[in-house]
Each structure stands twice: as C-alpha cells, then as structure tokens.
Amino acid sequence: MQKIIDFIKQTFNTNEFIPLHEPRFIGNEKKYLNDCIDSTFVSSVGKYVDMFEKEFASYVGSKYAIATVNGTAALHISLILADVKRGDEIITQPLTFIATCNAISYCGAKPIFVDVDLDTLGLSPESLKNFLEKNCEIVDNKCINKTTKKTVKACVPMHAFGHPCKIDEIKEICDIWNIILVEDSAESLGSTYKNKHTGTFGQIGAFSFNGNKIITSGGGGVIVTNDEYLAKRAKHITTTAKVPHTFEYVHDEIAYNYRLPNINAALLVAQMENLDKFLKSKRELTEIYKDFFSKSKVKLVLEPENSKSNYWLQAVLLDNNKQRDEFLEITNKNGVMTRPIWKLMNELEMFKDCQKTDLKNAKYLEERIVNIPSSVR
C-alpha cells in the first residue's frame, strides 16, 4: 500500500495533500470574468451564455445546447422534455450519483433499477432487455409495466466516470419499446462511443460542470438536443416561462429559474478553450497509472471497447470489500484523497421499495471500486 501512496505523490510531484479532482484555471478565466463584470450582465442574459451554448453544441455535435444552473437541473428539465409525468416509471441504473434519481423524483416519477455491465460500469442492455421482456408490454404504443400498470416513459443510463455504456444497444431497445432515451452525461464530456459523442445518442442529453468536473464554472449544466422544438421549450421553461416582451411580465406556465448566469458562462468559455489540453493530460495520467498498476494486484479501470473515455475519475478495482475499506483508510490517512463508488441507489431509504432486477454486477462493483487522484497535472 505504501508503494501506491508514494507513487501517487511522485506522479503529482508533491508531498502535500492530494485531492481527488481539483479544477484547473490556466487560461482566460480572469480576463473573461472581468469583462463580464465590466459589462454588468452577470445574470442569465449575456454574450458568454450565447457563446458557450454555441461552442458546446459544436463540440459534442448537437444542433442545440441550453445552459442551466447545474447538471441536476439539466437532467430534470430533460425529463420534463421527455414528457415524464407524476406516476410514470423511469428505468435507470443503481450505480450512479444521487442526482440521477433526484431528477426523476422531482418529476413525481419512480425509478426502476436494472443492472450494469462490469466492463462499462453503466446500464446493461442485456439487463434492460430482460426486464422489459419479463415485466412489460406495449399497450396503445406505450410501454406498460404489467406489475404496476404504470407507463415506463424513459430510460436514463449514466456514463460512469466518463466511460461510455453500450448506448447504441440501449437506444435500439428503447426504440423497440417506445421508451424515450435521456442520457445522463454529467461525467462524460469529451467521451465518445463509436466516434460519436456521449449525450447525443438519445433524444436529449444532460451534462454537468460542477466544481469537480473536467471543466467547471463552479456549477452549471447543459441540455443538448437536435430537436428545435425541444430546444426552444427547454429555454422557455428554464427562464420561468416568461413570454418575450419589451417590458411586460407575462408567464404562461409554472416553470423554473434554471438558466446559467453569464458570469458562470464566462468561466466555461475559458475552460472550453483548454478542454482538449485537459483531455490529453487525462490520457497521459492513465498511461502512467496503467504502467504502474500492471505490476500490481490492483486493477485499473480502463475504457470499454469501442469507446474513448475522458477518464474524468480514475478508478481501481480491489479484490473485495475488506481490501477496499483498508485502501480507503490508509490512503486518506496519508494525504491521498480516495473515495468509494456511490452507495447503490436501491439501498437508500428513499428508493428501497423500487422495482429492480438482479443487481449482482452493481453490487460487485460497489464493494470493490475506489477512485484515486485524477486531476489534470
């Protein structure tokens, strides 16, 4: 264990505390922030919001991008755009950050948990297919859960740590069952599957720019889509559903104050300018870790087949739960920040009664995965 600690400190060239993932501000962040402040347009209207949305859409290959105050808001609105209503059911994975299930819950919907694949850490097409064939039927062009009689409206896979799941297979299954695919791409900016950017396979995708993400504005999120109607509606309902007018305040439905402030967008425009540099650094770190752990019993999690991962968070796989806990305790005591993967969503009090498949892969990973320092060097 000490060899691993020493190696990580050597890799990051410090004997000080090493965080899991800290942001890097190495470009025009201060320049653009000062410009934004001088303009006085620091709220949800301003040139940096427009610039960022245009640049982001171009980068991932979508027609439209709508910036939001955070990634959870982006996912929440994405589900509303997918016409998710109270009482609907949403298929997702148990191995994810709480934001996925929170967004589902905000809509008054209920998650159904299917297993993940060991190689991608993401939602398993096989588990999805088996659940639907066993538990669902098509009635009036809707996917109906035969047990609950509820509509299964959408499927939300999440690309864990930036490793793409088998999203094309998931989409094919969703199309057969008339289920809307909404990609939780919060962690996967810069990741591609079969040369197509994550977040663009489904009708709607959502990204996050929280302080620990590969680029950040302290918070922030974005919705991407190729559908002009959905893009316009996303902008409308994230801007309190205010009807455009020179001076009158007319709002035509209950909506949300979810737009990204211009001052945060200024940070993101600067961060986007260095995104390719950050991704290159991430892959270089992967090669360093890969070489070291190839001589160790600890297994480094690598990008799945047909994928190019952003390697947002590096992850290692331990032999068992006991070894994982020892690894976490010793590294953190020695100034190397490490974290376990998330507790399975179906084990949380709020979701313990949700329908689920056999989750053996998710449980296996939960007991063994640890994230190690992953910052851009």
Side-chain angles (χ1 to χ4, degrees):
M1 188 69 70
Q2 189 59 48
K3 285 180 65 176
I4 294 175
I5 292 168
D6 291 343
F7 173 74
I8 292 174
K9 289 186 174 183
Q10 178 185 343
T11 298
F12 286 90
N13 194 29
T14 182
N15 284 316
E16 303 297 323
F17 171 76
I18 302 175
L20 190 66
H21 193 287
E22 62 182 355
R24 292 285 182 264
F25 302 112
I26 60 173
N28 288 312
E29 286 86 358
K30 291 181 181 179
K31 176 183 176 182
Y32 295 166
L33 282 174
N34 286 333
D35 180 56
C36 180
I37 291 167
D38 290 343
S39 77
T40 74
F41 285 91
V42 296
S43 194
S44 57
V45 175
K47 71 176 184 180
Y48 287 106
V49 175
D50 297 335
M51 288 171 60
F52 171 69
E53 290 177 334
K54 182 178 180 180
E55 290 171 11
F56 191 88
S58 176
Y59 188 89
V60 301
S62 66
K63 289 184 179 179
Y64 307 99
I66 303 90
T68 63
V69 70
N70 56 51
T72 307
L75 188 56
H76 179 198
I77 295 300
S78 295
L79 291 169
I80 292 174
L81 297 176
D83 197 36
V84 173
K85 298 285 199 303
R86 183 168 297 278
D88 287 340
E89 295 178 337
I90 311 298
I91 297 176
T92 191
Q93 59 202 63
L95 197 68
T96 186
F97 182 57
I98 187 67
T100 308
C101 290
N102 279 345
I104 292 169
S105 301
Y106 296 163
C107 297
K110 192 170 184 177
I112 294 171
F113 298 112
V114 302
D115 206 7
V116 299
D117 284 326
L118 292 175
D119 57 340
T120 69
L121 315 182
L123 193 145
S124 165
E126 182 179 1
S127 184
L128 173 63
K129 182 173 182 286
N130 289 342
F131 173 82
L132 291 168
E133 290 178 349
K134 181 179 178 180
N135 296 282
C136 298
E137 60 184 347
I138 299 293
V139 180
D140 296 329
N141 292 320
K142 297 179 180 178
C143 180
I144 303 298
N145 187 328
K146 291 187 287 187
T147 300
T148 64
K149 310 304 179 186
K150 302 287 188 180
T151 300
V152 179
K153 184 65 67 70
C155 177
V156 185
M158 197 275 284
H159 304 290
F161 308 144
H163 298 300
C165 55
K166 296 165 186 169
I167 193 66
D168 58 343
E169 295 178 36
I170 294 169
K171 184 181 187 305
E172 184 177 343
I173 295 166
C174 287
D175 288 347
I176 291 170
W177 286 89
N178 293 336
I179 295 170
I180 297 172
L181 176 60
V182 176
E183 282 182 77
D184 184 346
S185 303
E187 302 174 357
S188 63
L189 175 58
S191 298
T192 58
Y193 182 74
K194 296 183 178 179
N195 297 315
K196 183 177 171 68
H197 203 289
T198 56
T200 64
F201 286 81
Q203 189 177 32
I204 314 157
F207 292 81
S208 170
F209 310 110
N210 188 36
N212 64 353
K213 294 301 190 294
I214 194 163
I215 66 169
T216 184
S217 54
V222 70
I223 301 161
V224 297
T225 182
N226 288 326
D227 188 304
E228 183 180 7
Y229 169 78
L230 291 180
K232 288 180 177 179
R233 176 145 178 78
K235 189 167 185 178
H236 185 59
I237 62 176
T238 56
T239 318
T240 66
K242 184 180 183 298
V243 178
H245 191 278
T246 306
F247 52 85
E248 287 187 351
Y249 290 94
V250 178
H251 305 260
D252 58 7
E253 62 180 300
I254 295 172
Y256 307 89
N257 186 13
Y258 275 0
R259 286 289 277 166
L260 182 74
N262 195 43
I263 197 164
N264 296 90
L267 274 174
L268 283 173
V269 170
Q271 290 269 285
M272 284 289 291
E273 292 173 351
N274 281 307
L275 176 56
D276 287 340
K277 184 182 293 186
F278 293 163
L279 291 168
K280 183 174 182 289
S281 175
K282 292 275 187 184
R283 297 192 74 81
E284 289 171 352
L285 178 61
T286 300
E287 290 303 314
I288 292 169
Y289 275 150
K290 183 179 176 181
D291 181 64
F292 175 80
F293 285 111
S294 68
K295 307 176 184 71
S296 165
K297 292 182 180 179
V298 176
K299 181 181 178 183
L300 183 69
V301 176
L302 298 172
E303 61 193 359
E305 188 178 5
N306 297 316
S307 300
K308 186 172 184 179
S309 299
N310 66 3
Y311 284 107
W312 167 56
L313 283 186
Q314 301 284 345
V316 292
L317 188 69
L318 285 303
D319 286 341
N320 51 55
N321 185 261
K322 181 175 181 293
Q323 190 181 78
R324 181 204 70 172
D325 291 346
E326 289 175 351
F327 187 99
L328 287 164
E329 183 175 355
I330 294 171
T331 51
N332 282 287
K333 278 186 177 179
N334 284 273
V336 174
M337 186 176 179
T338 59
R339 288 292 182 267
I341 205 167
W342 317 280
K343 186 176 182 67
L344 296 186
M345 294 296 103
N346 61 288
E347 295 179 355
L348 299 178
E349 184 67 25
M350 309 84 76
F351 307 116
K352 66 179 183 180
D353 296 326
C354 292
Q355 194 171 3
K356 61 182 183 296
T357 66
D358 180 357
L359 304 176
K360 62 181 181 180
N361 288 347
K363 190 62 182 176
Y364 178 90
L365 293 168
E366 181 201 32
E367 292 177 345
R368 293 165 173 81
I369 289 282
V370 172
N371 291 125
I372 59 176
S374 308
S375 301
V376 168
R377 298 185 310 134

